[in-house]
Amino acid sequence: MARYENNLFNKDFFMDEKPVRRSRIHWHSYYEAEFCLGGMGTQRINGVCDTIEKGVLTFLSPKDFHSIEAMENPLHMITFRFFTYVLSPEMINLINEHKPPFRLFLEGEDFDKMLSAYRALEAEDKRTDTFRERALKYRIGLICLDIIRHAVQSRTDKSENEFA
């Protein structure tokens, strides 16, 4: 965890893709969006345990305690982290209004679109031109908006199914 903290203090945004076997319970001073590209395991967020597998995207606020444990093989995770001030106050209000953490299961076209968005963010992070910082903030904001949309739709679908 210290490696991430050190990188984040040197820049506003940090992204990595790696195998994860185990991550002990912890929290951060920044937002984190973890996207599972493969494997199976258990994820605990604020004391609630769920399965994590390909397609699970978790968006965590600085208030969320979380851990991960892979079952057999390591999980293949791609993650980006950013400080609150990277996003506009309106976007932060929108995130807070919908109460993270957000936990989504994406498959098919939704999975492909989100992975493409992550890859575009990763490519932008490697650029060195004067537009890099502004483009990163824009892409992070769009991904956050997509996550919130999916989370709101998922919550709506769950409550409609409860009454069916």
Side-chain angles (χ1 to χ4, degrees), residues 29-43:
S29 58
Y30 46 82
Y31 287 90
E32 181 174 35
E34 301 175 322
F35 194 23
C36 183
L37 304 182
M40 184 165 268
T42 304
Q43 182 178 46

Side-chain angles (χ1 to χ4, degrees), residues 22-124:
R22 184 170 189 216
S23 162
R24 295 179 191 264
I25 192 93
H26 64 282
W27 62 274
H28 309 286
S29 58
Y30 46 82
Y31 287 90
E32 181 174 35
E34 301 175 322
F35 194 23
C36 183
L37 304 182
M40 184 165 268
T42 304
Q43 182 178 46
R44 182 179 297 270
I45 303 171
N46 301 329
V48 176
C49 241
D50 276 307
T51 300
I52 186 167
E53 61 187 316
K54 180 181 178 180
V56 171
L57 187 150
T58 309
F59 183 86
L60 302 158
S61 78
K63 300 174 189 173
D64 296 314
F65 287 82
H66 57 284
S67 65
I68 292 177
E69 186 147 355
M71 287 185 180
E72 291 180 21
N73 298 319
L75 294 157
H76 180 186
M77 303 291 291
I78 186 168
T79 304
F80 72 91
R81 301 157 188 91
F82 62 93
F83 285 105
T84 303
Y85 57 81
V86 167
L87 294 179
S88 69
E90 295 83 10
M91 181 58 73
I92 294 299
N93 287 339
L94 188 62
I95 290 169
N96 292 333
E97 175 186 332
H98 292 286
K99 300 178 180 34
F102 306 124
R103 193 169 192 287
L104 312 173
F105 179 71
L106 304 175
E107 56 188 344
E109 190 177 323
D110 289 334
F111 177 91
D112 294 340
K113 283 181 181 179
M114 188 60 72
L115 182 56
S116 291
Y118 267 70
R119 295 294 184 215
L121 185 61
E122 185 177 45
E124 192 63 54

